[in-house]
Amino acid sequence: MYNVVLFFHLLGATVWTGGHLILACTILPRVLREKDIAFLSQFESSYEKIGIPALIIQILSGLYLASTLLPNLSQWFNFSDPVSRLISFKLILLVCTFLLAIDARLRIIPNLSKANLKSLAYHIIPVTILSILFIFVGFSFKSGWLY
């Protein structure tokens, strides 16, 4: 069961991070250059159909994987243990992603205009970096880089 859940976790990470890399590296520069909100909205509405389910799969599978590796939830923030430290890093990254997403969804996107496109970019770029850090921390479970 662990390997099946890990496969779906990695698949979700691929979709989430890949989508944000495409957004940050190809879509966003064009949108900022041309002030094309419609193009951004079109990408976002298309990507959300697969990106949000991928994120949900990642969260659920990540919680399962973490509980398999460290069943005692009270130890998840014990920074003296390498596994709990990695779980903590993943949860901190998740909270940061969530806070940026909520801020964008409630404050920026409802009032999106050519004038505040840079504000949205200041959310897209950190979420993309966070998604790459998610992968790095996940890779560290096997590589031991952050132990």
Side-chain angles (χ1 to χ4, degrees):
M1 181 69 169
Y2 181 89
N3 287 333
V4 171
V5 173
L6 179 60
F7 171 79
F8 283 105
H9 189 72
L10 294 173
L11 183 60
T14 302
V15 169
W16 181 257
T17 303
H20 278 85
L21 284 168
I22 290 168
L23 175 60
C25 296
T26 63
I27 305 294
L28 186 59
R30 175 183 166 186
V31 167
L32 291 173
R33 184 176 55 252
E34 299 174 9
K35 307 273 191 231
D36 190 352
I37 296 171
F39 185 64
L40 177 66
S41 297
Q42 181 183 0
F43 175 82
E44 284 285 331
S45 66
S46 297
Y47 174 68
E48 278 186 353
K49 292 175 183 147
I50 190 170
I52 297 302
L55 181 60
I56 291 168
I57 287 169
Q58 277 185 275
I59 293 169
L60 295 176
S61 61
L63 291 172
Y64 171 82
L65 295 169
S67 67
T68 301
L69 292 172
L70 197 61
N72 185 351
L73 302 182
S74 66
Q75 292 297 310
W76 282 13
F77 287 98
N78 176 4
F79 283 88
S80 64
D81 176 67
V83 173
S84 65
R85 187 170 38 249
L86 294 175
I87 291 170
S88 298
F89 289 159
K90 286 270 203 163
L91 291 171
I92 291 166
L93 291 169
L94 180 61
V95 168
C96 292
T97 300
F98 179 75
L99 292 174
L100 282 166
I102 291 298
D103 183 52
R105 181 66 59 195
L106 297 178
R107 189 175 60 85
I108 296 170
I109 293 173
N111 304 308
L112 191 59
S113 69
K114 292 178 182 184
N116 68 353
L117 271 175
K118 283 189 180 179
S119 295
L120 187 59
Y122 293 140
H123 284 70
I124 291 170
I125 293 167
V127 169
T128 303
I129 292 168
L130 289 170
S131 70
I132 293 167
L133 290 173
F134 268 118
I135 290 175
F136 179 74
V137 174
F139 176 71
S140 296
F141 277 96
K142 293 295 182 188
S143 71
W145 277 7
L146 295 177
Y147 279 23

